[in-house]
């Protein structure tokens, strides 16, 4: 499906510094948590695995990976018009998401370092990786004569508070889905080099290994706190986070299908592949996974995609604000019904699969 609603020109808050995109329910979020509760996490039952992961972080496999070379040293003016807008939006969203990870991990590390030094060191080293990722993306934006003021973003964005266990569910999933997103694009472009319109994608192979290691760290950390994975509440929350992460990505990506088309990818097929792989991976640690092959799963997500198009059409109209709100109401109600029904789809228990290689 082609997205026919045109996007506004990127606006600048000062010369060459892009105004951050408006926050919506679908934009990358910034998080904060209960640092005292985080500091009290006792890692002893999974200490060996945590130590092995820390040792691996210290090796720093990608120390020299994120270096811009002559592949970047040319004009990118041929990526113009709508393509350019989509490309800048991709870089901004990715940079914001990586930077959000950096801020959260760095702050956790700083706040717990006296009480829980080993955990603090792990968080410090993953924040090092995220800072590199965000910095590399921000430099890529400069190839399009823009950049993000990350200091301004730090101060101006609102922060969502999650208790530590919810931070673990959410960050685990975002790291693993990040891994599958990057590696799926990389493998596609490896097979179809003519679709590689910009060299940043060539960095995704090593880059995604950082995200995979980060995901493995959160996997090990959750295992060190088995209470957050075992009871009926854990099953309900894991369902909620899986669905939220998958639905958000699906709605975001289908709204930007023209961007994926630029890379020769079909956004629907790409997302379905990433969702299936991430769901499978999550079965290694979560007590349940979603039944993503149930016919209702994508049928209901597609209804949400269609609702999203209706909402954007109302937003683009000249109607007054109260009229717009009224016109949007049926789509909002429908989205809530779809989400509730998706949440109620019977999940697949993974108890028998825990600890196995999938
Ligand atoms: Fe990252
Ligand atoms: Fe990461």
């Amino acid at each position: 499906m082609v997205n026919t609603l045109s996007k506004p020109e990127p606006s600048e808050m000062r010369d060459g510094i892009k105004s951050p995109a408006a926050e919506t329910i679908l934009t990358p979020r910034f998080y904060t948590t209960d640092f005292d509760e985080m500091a009290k996490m006792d890692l002893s039952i999974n200490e060996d695995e945590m130590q092995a992961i820390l040792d691996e972080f210290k090796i720093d496999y990608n120390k020299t990976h994120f270096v811009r070379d002559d592949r970047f040293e040319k004009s990118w003016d041929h990526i113009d018009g709508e393509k350019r807008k989509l490309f800048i939006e991709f870089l901004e969203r990715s940079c914001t998401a990586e930077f959000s990870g950096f801020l959260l991990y760095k702050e956790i590390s700083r706040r717990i370092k006296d009480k829980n030094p080993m955990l603090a060191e792990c968080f410090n080293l993953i924040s090092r990786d995220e800072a590199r990722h965000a910095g590399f993306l921000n430099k890529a934006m400069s190839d399009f004569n823009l950049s993000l003021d990350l200091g301004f973003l730090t101060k101006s964005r609102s922060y969502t508070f999650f208790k530590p266990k919810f931070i673990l569910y959410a960050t685990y999933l975002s790291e693993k889905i990040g891994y599958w997103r990057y590696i799926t694009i990389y493998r596609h472009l490896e097979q179809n080099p003519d679709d590689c319109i910009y060299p940043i994608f060539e960095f995704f192979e090593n880059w995604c290994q950082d995200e995979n290691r980060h995901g493995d760290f959160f996997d090990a950390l959750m295992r060190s706190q088995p209470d957050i994975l075992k009871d009926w509440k854990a099953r309900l929350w894991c369902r909620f986070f899986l669905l939220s992460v998958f639905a958000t990505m699906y709605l975001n990506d289908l709204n930007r299908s023209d961007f994926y088309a630029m890379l020769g990818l079909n956004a629907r097929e790409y997302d379905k592949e990433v969702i299936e792989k991430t769901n499978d991976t999550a079965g290694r640690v979560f007590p349940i996974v979603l039944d993503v092959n149930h016919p209702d799963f994508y049928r209901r997500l597609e209804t949400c995609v269609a609702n999203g198009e209706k909402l954007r059409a109302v937003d683009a109209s000249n109607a007054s604000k109260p009229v717009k709100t009224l016109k949007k109401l049926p789509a909002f109600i429908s989205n809530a019904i779809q989400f509730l029904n998706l949440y109620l789809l019977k999940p697949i228990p993974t108890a028998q699969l825990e600890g196995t290689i999938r």
Side-chain angles (χ1 to χ4, degrees):
M1 195 182 303
V2 176
N3 173 20
T4 49
L5 296 175
S6 65
K7 294 180 167 55
E9 291 289 337
S11 63
E12 294 178 31
M13 55 184 203
R14 43 181 206 277
D15 203 21
I17 305 294
K18 188 183 174 303
S19 310
E23 283 179 59
T24 72
I25 193 166
L26 295 178
T27 46
R29 310 194 76 75
F30 284 29
Y31 296 99
T32 184
T33 191
D34 180 338
F35 299 105
D36 290 335
E37 195 187 321
M38 207 83 170
K40 284 185 198 135
M41 280 186 177
D42 175 5
L43 311 179
S44 53
I45 66 162
N46 203 15
E47 199 161 344
D48 290 350
E49 193 184 354
M50 296 292 295
Q51 185 61 51
I53 287 172
L54 174 57
D55 292 343
E56 207 177 18
F57 286 158
K58 283 184 189 163
I59 296 171
D60 197 0
Y61 294 104
N62 282 338
K63 194 175 190 170
T64 57
H65 180 62
F66 295 96
V67 177
R68 281 164 61 89
D69 52 26
D70 51 12
R71 281 173 285 179
F72 291 89
E73 279 168 21
K74 55 181 195 171
S75 164
W76 301 101
D77 290 348
H78 61 280
I79 302 179
D80 56 5
E82 193 64 23
K83 273 188 174 182
R84 195 174 180 92
K85 276 188 251 169
L86 284 165
F87 207 80
I88 290 168
E89 190 188 32
F90 159 75
L91 293 173
E92 177 181 7
R93 290 180 66 86
S94 306
C95 181
T96 308
E98 297 278 10
F99 186 65
S100 148
F102 159 74
L103 279 183
L104 174 68
Y105 301 154
K106 188 78 189 169
E107 189 62 6
I108 293 174
S109 167
R110 196 177 70 80
R111 300 281 286 267
I112 70 172
K113 72 172 186 294
D114 295 331
K115 291 183 192 144
N116 202 333
M118 183 192 178
L119 189 57
E121 197 172 4
C122 287
F123 273 108
N124 186 44
L125 293 176
I126 58 174
S127 80
R128 164 204 71 194
D129 296 341
E130 305 301 13
R132 268 181 204 150
H133 302 166
F136 202 64
L137 283 155
N138 210 9
K139 279 197 195 120
M141 284 185 76
S142 69
D143 288 336
F144 299 86
N145 307 320
L146 287 169
S147 67
L148 282 180
D149 182 340
L150 297 175
F152 175 77
L153 211 58
T154 309
K155 284 183 236 133
S156 66
R157 286 289 291 256
S158 51
Y159 288 73
T160 304
F161 176 87
F162 272 171
K163 281 176 73 63
K165 75 169 178 177
F166 301 133
I167 288 283
L168 300 192
Y169 298 145
T171 49
Y172 167 75
L173 279 177
S174 88
E175 297 291 355
K176 286 297 183 185
I177 208 167
Y179 164 72
W180 283 113
R181 286 174 65 78
Y182 285 148
I183 195 68
T184 306
I185 290 177
Y186 180 82
R187 284 181 186 151
H188 162 76
L189 295 177
E190 197 180 27
Q191 298 293 316
N192 302 277
D194 290 348
D195 289 333
C196 189
I197 53 171
Y198 183 68
I200 203 162
F201 303 109
E202 292 168 24
F203 287 73
F204 276 14
E205 190 181 27
N206 292 36
W207 187 328
C208 77
Q209 295 307 333
D210 279 345
E211 312 304 6
N212 205 24
R213 280 186 286 271
H214 299 168
D216 288 344
F217 159 71
F218 286 110
D219 178 317
L221 185 53
M222 284 191 283
R223 282 176 198 283
S224 76
Q225 317 293 310
D227 287 352
I228 71 167
L229 293 171
K230 276 193 174 149
D231 61 6
W232 59 272
K233 282 185 279 182
R235 287 193 290 279
L236 292 180
W237 281 114
C238 287
R239 261 162 97 171
F240 174 79
F241 277 94
L242 281 162
L243 180 59
S244 301
V245 168
F246 294 162
T248 306
M249 179 181 78
Y250 200 74
L251 298 187
N252 266 324
D253 285 353
L254 264 66
N255 181 26
R256 292 168 182 82
S257 52
D258 292 353
F259 169 75
Y260 293 92
M262 277 161 67
L263 305 180
L265 282 163
N266 175 305
R268 262 189 188 80
E269 286 166 18
Y270 168 71
D271 269 40
K272 285 180 180 177
E273 165 111 5
V274 170
I275 286 173
E276 188 180 336
K277 292 286 201 318
T278 310
N279 197 47
D280 249 17
T281 303
R284 293 179 195 166
V285 62
F286 281 1
I288 51 90
V289 289
L290 301 188
D291 185 2
V292 297
N293 292 316
H294 191 290
D296 279 358
F297 187 77
Y298 285 107
R299 185 179 66 76
R300 291 197 181 278
L301 282 181
E302 287 297 335
T303 306
C304 296
V305 172
N307 287 336
E309 281 175 22
K310 285 179 200 155
L311 291 171
R312 283 189 294 282
V314 174
D315 269 333
S317 72
N318 293 323
S320 65
K321 211 175 167 192
V323 172
K324 279 186 181 177
T325 307
L326 215 60
K327 282 186 169 173
K328 284 178 177 178
L329 205 57
F332 282 141
I333 293 170
S334 168
N335 275 348
I337 292 169
Q338 305 314 319
F339 194 87
L340 184 65
N341 277 283
L342 282 163
Y343 184 71
L344 294 173
L345 276 185
K346 201 165 176 279
I348 302 169
T350 55
Q352 69 275 22
L353 300 166
E354 273 181 49
T356 61
I357 296 169
R358 300 188 72 197

